[in-house]
Amino acid sequence: MLSLPPGIRHMPGLLPPSEQEILLADIRAVVVEAPLYVPAMPKTGTPMSVRMTNCGLLGWVTDKERGYRYQAIDPVTGKPWPPIPQRLLDLWNEVAGYPHPPEACLVNFYSPDAKMGLHQDRDEKDFDAPVVSVSLGDDCLFRVGGTSRKGGTVSFRLSSGDVVVLGGEGRLAFHGVDRIYPNTSTLLKNGGRINLTLRRVNSPSIRSS
């Protein structure tokens, strides 16, 4: 059995096919209001290989001029991001073990040749809250390590309906997507993978005891 780093939880098939279909419809409605676009790397302006959008009070964005950050306005539409679907809020309540709701949900679409290099989710102010990741569509090879880029990593396959939680010691773990396995799911008509990442950005003013 694969041994994951401390704080990393993998819940295979937590969302059954029927719930995946419903959640996909929710995300399609989000994309109608906030279309997918190609983000750019800070400083270099190099396009990323994924397309992205957000929902929630805040959205994670990146561009050449201002770099990684959260903001309340969609840079493409100039409007506030659409709300996080209730199904995702319910999932957060089920698996996060954290008393406050997520403020952002990053929607990444991976085409068959897309990938994501090892990185930490550290643009947030509240590291007590976990990061909750949901996979829809084609399988991917997910890689995760410790809090140092130089540390060892483990890789495992994520399938549609899988949920991964990075919390506790694993909240700042380096992680990434090495490859997509095309045609491993029929959920998306034209193939590809959608990754939904729920995040709490700000520390609550009043914490539960």
Side-chain angles (χ1 to χ4, degrees):
M1 180 178 292
L2 182 67
S3 178
L4 297 179
I8 308 300
R9 288 187 287 147
H10 175 212
M11 290 162 272
L14 185 63
L15 298 181
S18 58
E19 291 188 25
Q20 295 173 40
E21 292 279 1
I22 295 171
L23 181 55
L24 178 60
D26 290 340
I27 298 305
R28 283 175 171 155
V30 165
V31 171
V32 169
E33 290 189 54
L36 293 166
Y37 69 96
V38 179
M41 296 290 290
K43 298 181 181 178
T44 65
T46 303
M48 297 177 69
S49 64
V50 299
R51 289 188 290 156
M52 59 163 272
T53 188
N54 292 272
C55 52
L57 295 174
L58 296 170
W60 184 87
V61 299
T62 175
D63 52 38
K64 179 180 179 179
E65 293 75 20
R66 297 177 59 195
Y68 305 135
R69 64 193 186 279
Y70 284 94
Q71 62 184 45
I73 300 299
D74 182 341
V76 175
T77 67
K79 299 177 181 179
W81 304 102
I84 298 174
Q86 184 61 46
R87 290 174 183 83
L88 287 176
L89 297 177
D90 293 342
L91 177 66
W92 173 275
N93 290 335
E94 179 183 346
V95 304
Y98 185 79
H100 303 281
E103 294 171 293
C105 177
L106 174 61
V107 180
N108 278 332
F109 175 76
Y110 291 77
S111 60
D113 59 348
K115 60 182 65 176
M116 183 73 70
L118 279 178
H119 65 281
Q120 293 174 299
D121 291 344
R122 58 176 310 119
D123 298 315
E124 302 76 32
K125 297 177 182 177
D126 188 359
F127 294 147
D128 290 336
V131 171
V132 176
S133 172
V134 182
S135 294
L136 296 174
D138 286 338
D139 293 3
C140 79
L141 185 63
F142 182 75
R143 185 153 55 109
V144 65
T147 55
S148 170
R149 188 182 290 275
K150 297 181 180 179
T153 61
V154 295
S155 298
F156 56 98
R157 196 154 169 157
L158 292 180
S159 299
S160 194
D162 286 9
V163 173
V164 173
V165 178
L166 282 68
E169 293 181 58
R171 172 59 181 80
L172 292 175
F174 278 89
H175 59 283
V177 172
D178 287 341
R179 63 165 297 188
I180 303 297
Y181 296 98
N183 305 314
T184 49
S185 170
T186 58
L187 181 65
L188 303 182
K189 181 179 179 181
N190 297 316
R193 173 181 183 259
I194 293 173
N195 179 231
L196 310 172
T197 309
L198 293 160
R199 303 169 179 174
R200 177 81 194 187
V201 180
N202 297 301
S203 298
S205 57
I206 301 177
R207 292 190 178 276
S208 299
S209 59

